[in-house]
């Protein structure tokens, strides 16, 4: 009976040429307004979904035209309205192009043609998917999601939760096994989607025997599992080169080229950097012999490759992968992922690595680069990888695999700390807010404009249309650079305050919070939580131009509760907060307790003490700290908050500092 519901979708009266022409015209129209990989695609059920299941149980006795009429009235039209209304809401919230399938109707098209169209649209114009509830009961949605996962696009629910491949498999499998699988015979087409998704889901490296493979055989083995840099390999044969393996864009796996020159020419042409590398080795000694990097001349590449082959060496020609493109390289194993910018995966062996639980790392990299890293192989596999803003490799994707093998030893624990090399790339303030966001803490919706990475956003809407503009230096420099309410040219701001471009790496446009109170919280030397702030916006307090005041009980409780949530996940933290009348938001976060307590800002003794009036401001205090290193201590005069930037400056400078004549006030102190 269900075939009657789908009859309009399976018509094949339109000729293929008509479909191709109509599809081409649609793409011309979209190209007028959309750049490649610039839109969000909203996927939702139209002819099926939960609404269909509920209706079908009541209406399965209907026949012919009556069936179609009610299907349209009770399923298709309300489903389409839901999709269109949700798209309107997303456009307002995200301020991004939103593509949705419900508004497009072409007489005579069948379901296969619509799927073909939207798959190509996702290839060309889409950077991520948002899925509506009930997608697992729709063949079209399941097909779109599977295609998006294969492309490495991030997928989230309407509520903003990242949808992983494992979650998608579970939902689709439940739908196929449940009553819906019996009511919807056509849903069985989704079995093929499930099979495809399972090939993307956590995979096990075929570790046994991998180490015994020749270097190019191992690379071919890896290419069966994930994206790799494009390559062609050759073996020496009577003083000449014979092709062995290849993975080159737009060619089938191990495509056999006519000769060495054609192979190298194609590789150069397809290379995203326009250059290639030549690596030589012998089977008994896989360590590289001669290695030549960044060749852009075909004649030179051919002559070197033939010379190496003439010396009895195996040769791998691969496209050059630029690790200085704003992406990262790293290693995932044992439940953690570590990564660094501007280096190969071996960079994790150096100081300054960013170390996160693997699920946090995936979500952070997805937020920053807009893609889901294709490194989901499970805890017992070690994968070396790199992430790139520009797609590359033989699968033209954003993740490149470098090496895959078994993870030897027990599960590992991430060493979550910053500053690190990645926090210096995105900015210290940005990294802290990303950690707060990953921990599920309320962070105002933030768009980051970075010097080297395309703008990206994360956080929650606050309900305000106003913006705060915040600078984010490589490392914390308390109060040195601009924080202002309202919009300004972010790049002009960076040029004005950091002309050399070596301190400020990002500017944040952050949704304003309707500030009833604002301030900061730290853990003191005696292990207690100290909450300070004042009514209104907190900039004057943080800059030290106004001391803290007694806070209402509901404010103390909200900030204390926020700290408890953070502490459960991150341990001791210090943060700046804003209270909107009901909830506290985090606008800056760092890990760790302080050594401050009472009138002691920085413990230590000094032979000579210099008094400083806080009314002179942060700039003068910073100059004083720099001039006194290792010589004297500082006595602060004025109503100083231990959580203010005044205290941050002397703590960062490690100068013994005390408050000379503190005002009598009631700070909020709680057991941390």
């Amino acid at each position: 009976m269900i075939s009657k519901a789908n009859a309009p979708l399976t018509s094949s009266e339109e000729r293929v040429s008509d479909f191709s022409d109509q599809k081409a015209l649609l793409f011309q129209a979209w190209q007028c307004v959309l750049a490649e990989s610039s839109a969000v695609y909203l996927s939702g059920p139209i002819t099926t979904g939960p609404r269909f299941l509920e209706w079908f149980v009541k209406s399965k006795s209907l026949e012919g035209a009556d069936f179609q009429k009610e299907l349209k009235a009770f399923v298709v039209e309300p489903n389409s309205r839901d999709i269109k209304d949700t798209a309107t809401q997303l456009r307002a919230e995200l301020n991004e192009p939103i593509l949705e399938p419900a508004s497009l109707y072409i007489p005579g098209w069948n379901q296969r043609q619509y799927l073909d169209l939207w798959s190509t649209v996702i290839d060309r114009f889409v950077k991520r998917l948002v899925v509506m509830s009930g997608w697992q009961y729709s063949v079209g949605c399941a097909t779109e999601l599977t295609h998006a996962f294969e492309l490495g696009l991030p997928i989230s629910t309407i509520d903003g939760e990242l949808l992983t491949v494992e979650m998608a498999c579970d939902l689709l499998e439940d739908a196929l096994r449940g009553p819906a699988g019996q009511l919807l015979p056509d849903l069985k087409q989704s079995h093929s989607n499930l099979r495809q998704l399972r090939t993307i889901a956590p995979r096990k490296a075929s570790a046994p025997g991998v180490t015994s493979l020749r270097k190019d055989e191992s690379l071919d083995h890896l290419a069966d599992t994930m994206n790799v840099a494009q390559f062609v390999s050759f073996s020496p044969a009577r003083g000449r080169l014979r092709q062995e393996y290849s993975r080159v864009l737009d060619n089938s796996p191990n495509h056999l080229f006519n000769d060495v020159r054609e192979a190298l020419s194609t590789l150069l042409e397809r290379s995203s950097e326009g250059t290639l590398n030549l690596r030589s080795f012998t089977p008994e000694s896989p360590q590289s012999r001669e290695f030549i990097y960044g060749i852009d001349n075909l004649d030179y590449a051919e002559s070197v490759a033939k010379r190496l082959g003439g010396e009895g060496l195996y040769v791998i020609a691969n496209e050059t992968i630029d690790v200085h493109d704003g992406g990262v390289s790293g290693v995932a194993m044992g439940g953690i992922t570590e990564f660094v910018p501007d280096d190969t995966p071996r960079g994790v062996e150096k100081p300054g690595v960013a170390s996160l639980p693997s699920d946090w790392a995936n979500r952070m990299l997805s937020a920053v680069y807009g893609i889901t890293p294709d490194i989901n192989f499970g805890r017992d596999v070690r994968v070396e990888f790199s992430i790139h803003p520009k797609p590359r490799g033989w699968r033209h994707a954003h993740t490149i695999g470098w090496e895959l093998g078994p993870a030897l030893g027990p599960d590992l624990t991430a060493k979550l700390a910053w500053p690190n090399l990645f926090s210096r790339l995105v900015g210290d303030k940005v990294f802290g807010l990303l950690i707060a966001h990953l921990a599920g803490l309320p962070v105002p919706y933030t768009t980051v404009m970075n010097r080297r990475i395309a703008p990206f956003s994360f956080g929650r809407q606050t309900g305000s249309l106003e913006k705060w503009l915040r600078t984010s230096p490589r490392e914390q420099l308390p109060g040195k650079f601009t924080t202002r309410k309202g919009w300004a040219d972010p790049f002009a701001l960076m040029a004005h305050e950091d002309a050399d471009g070596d301190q400020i790496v990002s500017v944040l446009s952050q949704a304003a919070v309707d500030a009833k109170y604002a301030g900061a919280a730290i853990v003191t030397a005696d292990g207690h939580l100290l909450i300070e702030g004042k009514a209104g916006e907190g900039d004057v307090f943080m800059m030290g131009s106004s001391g803290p005041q007694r806070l209402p009980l509901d404010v103390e409780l909200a900030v204390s509760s926020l700290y408890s949530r953070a502490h459960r996940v991150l341990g001791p933290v210090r943060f700046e907060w804003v209270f909107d009348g009901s909830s506290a938001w985090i606008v800056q976060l760092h890990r760790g307790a302080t050594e401050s307590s009472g009138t002691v800002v920085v413990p230590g003794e000094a032979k000579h003490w210099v008094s400083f009036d806080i009314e002179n401001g942060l700039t003068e205090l910073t100059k004083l700290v720099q001039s006194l290193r290792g010589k004297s201590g500082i006595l602060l005069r004025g109503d100083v908050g231990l959580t203010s930037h005044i205290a941050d400056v002397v703590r960062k400078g490690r100068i013994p500092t005390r408050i000379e004549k503190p005002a009598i006030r009631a700070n909020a102190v709680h057991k941390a």
Side-chain angles (χ1 to χ4, degrees):
M1 181 178 292
I2 193 61
S3 60
K4 295 180 296 185
N6 285 340
L9 300 177
T10 56
S11 170
S12 58
E13 295 175 0
E14 285 289 319
R15 292 184 295 113
V16 173
S17 59
D18 291 341
F19 166 69
S20 299
D21 291 343
Q22 290 169 335
K23 179 180 173 183
L25 289 173
L26 285 169
F27 269 77
Q28 286 182 33
W30 277 318
Q31 284 173 328
C32 291
V33 292
L34 295 175
E36 289 194 6
S37 303
S38 65
V40 177
Y41 183 80
L42 177 63
S43 180
I46 297 178
T47 59
T48 53
R51 186 175 273 119
F52 175 87
L53 296 173
E54 182 179 352
W55 169 82
F56 182 68
V57 171
K58 302 174 183 177
S59 309
K60 56 185 178 181
S61 61
L62 293 174
E63 296 289 340
D66 290 338
F67 187 96
Q68 295 296 334
K69 182 179 178 180
E70 286 205 11
L71 174 70
K72 180 179 179 182
F74 292 104
V75 179
V76 176
E77 290 181 348
N79 275 349
S80 297
R81 279 197 302 272
D82 285 351
I83 293 175
K84 294 174 186 177
D85 291 345
T86 303
T88 299
Q89 180 183 347
L90 288 176
R91 290 185 185 104
E93 290 179 357
L94 303 179
N95 194 28
E96 293 182 296
I98 306 294
L99 290 172
E100 47 84 7
S103 297
L104 182 69
Y105 173 70
I106 310 254
W109 274 29
N110 58 42
Q111 187 181 47
R112 179 186 56 78
Q113 290 169 321
Y114 279 111
L115 290 177
D116 179 278
L117 171 74
W118 292 119
S119 292
T120 313
V121 165
I122 291 169
D123 282 337
R124 181 80 58 85
F125 298 114
V126 174
K127 62 180 178 181
R128 66 185 179 93
L129 259 69
V130 175
V131 294
M132 299 186 65
S133 61
W135 69 265
Q136 64 269 36
Y137 302 109
S138 164
V139 173
C141 290
T143 302
E144 290 165 356
L145 263 69
T146 302
H147 188 57
F149 277 124
E150 288 176 331
L151 293 174
L153 300 179
I155 301 174
S156 63
T157 66
I158 294 296
D159 297 327
E161 181 183 6
L162 187 69
L163 185 68
T164 65
V165 183
E166 299 93 329
M167 294 164 61
C169 284
D170 290 343
L171 288 169
L172 195 53
E173 191 165 9
D174 288 345
L176 291 169
R177 288 181 174 177
Q182 304 302 317
L183 293 174
L184 292 169
D186 284 351
L187 194 63
K188 292 180 180 178
Q189 296 177 33
S190 289
H191 279 291
S192 63
N193 296 121
L194 182 59
R195 285 193 296 271
Q196 286 177 267
L197 285 172
R198 282 173 175 157
T199 67
I200 307 170
R203 295 154 288 190
K204 306 294 182 181
S206 301
V210 168
T211 54
S212 65
L213 295 177
R214 203 173 63 213
K215 184 180 287 289
D216 58 339
E217 292 174 329
S218 178
L219 192 56
D220 178 66
H221 180 87
L222 176 59
D224 286 335
T225 308
M226 64 186 304
N227 187 37
V228 298
Q230 299 176 80
F231 76 94
V232 184
S233 70
F234 306 94
S235 61
R238 296 188 180 91
R240 305 177 65 181
L241 285 179
R242 178 181 62 199
Q243 183 185 326
E244 295 286 344
Y245 301 98
S246 72
R247 287 291 196 283
V248 180
L249 188 64
D250 297 331
N251 287 272
S252 59
N254 295 324
H255 172 80
L256 186 63
F257 294 94
N258 290 324
D259 52 35
V260 174
R261 186 175 183 85
E262 183 191 30
L264 298 178
S265 174
T266 306
L267 189 60
L268 269 173
E269 179 186 332
R270 301 285 195 274
S271 169
S272 57
E273 308 301 332
T275 59
L276 57 80
N277 311 323
L278 290 174
R279 182 190 309 273
S280 60
F281 65 98
T282 59
E284 62 275 9
S285 179
Q287 296 299 316
S288 294
R289 297 276 288 270
E290 190 171 348
F291 177 78
I292 303 155
Y293 179 87
I295 301 172
D296 61 2
N297 182 280
L298 176 60
D299 291 335
Y300 178 65
E302 181 183 17
S303 65
V304 171
K306 289 181 175 180
R307 173 178 62 79
L308 294 171
E311 296 172 8
L313 297 173
Y314 286 72
V315 177
I316 299 176
N318 67 273
E319 66 172 327
T320 305
I321 297 294
D322 181 12
V323 296
H324 303 282
D325 60 354
V328 296
S329 301
V331 175
M333 61 178 288
I336 73 168
T337 300
E338 297 183 331
F339 52 92
V340 292
D342 299 313
D343 209 334
T344 68
R346 295 299 173 91
V348 301
E349 299 168 6
K350 305 172 186 176
V353 64
S355 179
L356 297 171
S358 288
D359 59 333
W360 279 34
N362 288 344
R363 290 167 58 202
M364 177 177 285
L365 294 172
S366 177
V368 173
Y369 296 106
I371 59 100
T372 301
D374 184 25
I375 53 176
N376 190 23
F377 291 88
R379 306 174 77 91
D380 57 348
V381 173
R382 182 184 187 277
V383 55
E384 294 186 7
F385 68 91
S386 56
I387 304 293
H388 302 275
K390 180 180 177 181
R392 59 196 64 213
W394 93 276
R395 297 185 184 182
H396 200 58
H398 295 275
T399 305
I400 292 286
W402 293 60
E403 193 171 299
L404 192 67
L408 303 177
D411 283 357
L412 305 173
T413 301
K415 299 176 182 178
L416 179 57
W418 71 95
N420 54 55
L421 293 174
F422 185 71
S423 73
R424 293 186 180 102
L425 172 67
V426 297
D428 189 85
K429 190 174 300 181
V430 174
F431 191 87
L433 289 174
L434 280 167
I435 292 296
H437 174 66
L438 295 175
L441 304 173
V443 174
Y445 191 78
T446 301
T447 296
V448 179
M449 290 149 285
N450 181 268
R451 292 185 184 272
R452 297 183 57 196
I453 302 172
F456 60 92
S457 301
F458 60 92
R460 308 179 189 178
Q461 295 293 347
T462 64
S464 173
L465 296 178
E466 290 188 290
K467 306 292 183 186
W468 278 88
L469 210 59
R470 305 181 187 276
T471 48
S472 183
R474 291 182 192 281
E475 295 191 23
Q476 187 184 20
L477 295 170
K480 180 175 181 179
F481 297 113
T482 291
T483 294
R484 57 170 289 179
K485 195 172 188 178
W487 180 253
D489 182 340
F491 297 101
L493 178 62
M494 283 194 281
H496 174 71
E497 297 204 355
D498 182 21
D500 295 332
D502 58 359
Q503 291 187 312
I504 299 175
V505 294
S506 294
V507 174
L508 288 64
S509 173
Q510 192 171 67
V513 177
D514 183 13
K516 306 301 187 218
Y517 288 85
I522 63 172
V523 177
T524 61
D526 55 6
H528 285 83
L529 172 66
L530 173 65
I531 302 171
E532 295 180 327
K534 68 186 309 299
E537 293 162 348
D539 50 335
V540 291
F541 163 68
M542 293 306 301
M543 296 298 287
S545 55
S546 175
Q549 67 183 62
R550 181 187 292 274
L551 298 172
L553 180 59
D554 61 334
V555 178
E556 293 182 25
L557 292 176
V559 178
S560 178
S561 174
L562 183 59
Y563 174 83
S564 296
R565 291 171 59 190
H567 183 271
R568 281 195 295 270
V569 181
L570 301 171
V573 294
R574 53 195 191 276
F575 57 83
E576 294 180 27
W577 55 267
V578 180
F579 180 74
D580 64 7
S582 60
S583 303
W585 297 73
I586 284 183
V587 294
Q588 192 164 340
L589 174 76
H590 287 89
R591 287 194 76 195
T594 69
E595 297 177 299
S596 302
S597 183
T599 61
V600 178
V601 185
V602 180
E605 297 297 328
K607 293 182 180 180
H608 177 66
W609 295 85
V610 177
S611 294
F612 180 84
D613 194 322
I614 65 170
E615 292 183 358
N616 292 327
L618 277 170
T619 301
E620 293 302 316
L621 178 60
T622 301
K623 292 178 182 177
L624 178 62
V625 167
Q626 292 172 345
S627 68
L628 292 181
R629 292 187 186 278
K631 299 177 182 178
S632 303
I634 298 175
L635 295 175
L636 296 174
R637 289 180 176 175
D639 193 9
V640 184
L642 288 179
T643 66
S644 69
H645 288 325
I646 292 285
D648 285 337
V649 166
V650 293
R651 278 193 291 259
K652 188 173 179 62
R654 307 298 305 152
I655 303 295
T657 304
R658 300 172 184 172
I659 300 173
E660 190 173 28
K661 294 180 179 179
I664 299 174
R665 62 176 184 267
N667 291 331
V669 179
H670 305 258
K671 186 175 181 180

